[in-house]
Amino acid sequence: MDFLFLSLITSGCVSATVPASKFTVHVTDVETGLPITSAVVRTTFEHVYDPWGNKKPKVDRRKEVVEPEGRIIFSGKSVRPGIGCSVSADGYYADWGGLEKTKKNLILNRWDPWNPTIEVKMRRTKNPVPMVNKRVEWKFKIPEYNTPIGLDLERGDWVQPYGNGVVSDMLIEIIPLNPPEKGSQCRITFPNERDGIQEHKFQWPSSEFKWPYLAPTNGYSNVLEKFYVLNLPKIASAPKHTLKKERNCIIRTRTKDDEGQIISACYGYFEGEIMFLPKGEFSFSYHFNPVPNERSLEYNGENILTEEK
């Protein structure tokens, strides 16, 4: 008997022991609260158990349109804890929802909670616009230390004579610490008084579009200082390492004002931290709209980068 049981396990034929799972997905418009009747929900159930990892997992993929009240129920067997789904609908940004932790009920052979409701609140697409979309990798390096150097976001390059840039949207300066091998300071400033940058915490982290529809009109700081500091060995009075990968920022630049009133400005955002190394190498990703007074942060996928080869 023991030999037969072991043979069943090694062959991956113990699907009868796989716990059951059941959950409901409820899809609504985040602003109106009304159900989105055209929503398509996708999920998977993995229901082949192989404790030695010799077999590929068998996955049951589901795709269903919600019922008129915006709900759909899924049930199946899954070897993995946690439940989740992705949701798409015409006129909306894709979204997802789920529970990371579920507990196995050994008596009933199922995952609890049983049939919880996953609320997915989707954001409508409103005014997607073309934007500059640029990813800067580590080969992008500051040309000089201790000197503010302009970065042209429209062209994705340092301004002349260091690169092909024309307009200084941001001024970036790398200041080595003492001793320089232990870190550097990155000081970001802006050429115009009303230009600036502000940190943004995502209110809709599960949505395909996480940003506000429109860039804010206030709350910008004209100076941003960052420190890359090697922690070991520690140096007395050294500044703290301040880089955080999850930091996101919105910017305003090319700002013109008349008697204290802004009459023209350009907006964009950095998704993730503006990362740099002690020797001045950079890595960051941004979207930027060079059209004056276009505050929409919705990107329609058309990259208008004017980078020169």
Side-chain angles (χ1 to χ4, degrees), residues 95-289:
D95 212 321
W96 64 272
L99 295 175
E100 293 184 2
K101 295 182 179 180
T102 54
K103 185 177 180 180
K104 185 183 292 187
N105 186 323
L106 298 177
I107 297 176
L108 299 178
N109 192 33
R110 72 184 192 188
W111 294 106
D112 285 338
W114 182 251
N115 196 22
T117 297
I118 298 174
E119 297 286 350
V120 179
K121 300 178 181 181
M122 303 186 72
R123 305 183 70 198
R124 189 183 297 274
T125 56
K126 293 186 176 181
N127 182 30
V129 295
M131 301 179 78
V132 173
N133 179 15
K134 172 98 176 181
R135 172 72 188 179
V136 171
E137 299 296 346
W138 291 111
K139 292 182 179 179
F140 191 76
K141 185 176 181 180
I142 197 83
E144 291 185 24
Y145 296 146
N146 300 309
T147 301
I149 297 176
L151 176 63
D152 188 329
L153 296 176
E154 185 174 1
R155 293 177 176 266
D157 201 358
W158 302 113
V159 297
Q160 300 171 359
Y162 304 103
N164 295 316
V166 177
V167 178
S168 291
D169 290 299
M170 306 165 63
L171 299 171
I172 301 179
E173 180 179 8
I174 292 295
I175 306 169
L177 301 180
N178 188 18
E181 63 271 16
K182 297 302 178 183
S184 294
Q185 174 188 359
C186 175
R187 192 169 191 269
I188 299 175
T189 56
F190 295 84
N192 303 302
E193 182 180 358
R194 304 294 290 275
D195 291 348
I197 190 168
Q198 61 176 276
E199 187 172 348
H200 177 75
K201 185 176 182 180
F202 290 145
Q203 185 177 350
W204 303 277
S206 67
S207 175
E208 178 186 11
F209 179 62
K210 301 174 175 59
W211 300 90
Y213 286 107
L214 298 176
T217 56
N218 51 41
Y220 295 91
S221 174
N222 200 255
V223 179
L224 177 64
E225 294 182 332
K226 301 171 178 290
F227 290 91
Y228 185 106
V229 181
L230 298 178
N231 295 322
L232 296 174
K234 292 185 177 180
I235 302 174
S237 72
K240 294 183 179 180
H241 187 90
T242 59
L243 298 184
K244 297 180 180 179
K245 291 183 179 180
E246 65 276 11
R247 179 179 286 124
N248 308 285
C249 295
I250 299 174
I251 61 167
R252 179 170 67 199
T253 186
R254 306 187 184 188
T255 309
K256 299 178 182 178
D257 62 69
D258 182 19
E259 296 182 353
Q261 298 295 320
I262 294 178
I263 59 175
S264 178
C266 295
Y267 299 87
Y269 58 84
F270 286 81
E271 187 162 3
E273 178 68 277
I274 302 174
M275 303 293 291
F276 72 98
L277 297 176
K279 293 185 178 181
E281 300 94 339
F282 283 89
S283 175
F284 52 79
S285 177
Y286 69 87
H287 289 72
F288 175 70
N289 196 331

Side-chain angles (χ1 to χ4, degrees), residues 25-85:
V25 181
H26 185 212
V27 186
T28 56
D29 184 299
V30 71
E31 293 183 352
T32 66
L34 297 175
I36 302 174
T37 57
S38 62
V40 178
V41 185
R42 293 173 174 83
T43 191
T44 60
F45 295 94
E46 186 175 331
H47 54 79
V48 169
Y49 177 61
D50 177 15
W52 284 271
N54 296 320
K55 295 180 179 292
K56 291 184 178 180
K58 187 175 180 180
V59 177
D60 178 12
R61 303 183 188 279
R62 307 283 186 86
K63 176 183 175 182
E64 300 287 347
V65 179
V66 297
E67 297 172 354
E69 66 274 16
R71 297 179 184 271
I72 189 70
I73 299 175
F74 290 98
S75 61
K77 292 182 178 293
S78 179
V79 296
R80 297 185 180 276
I83 52 179
C85 63

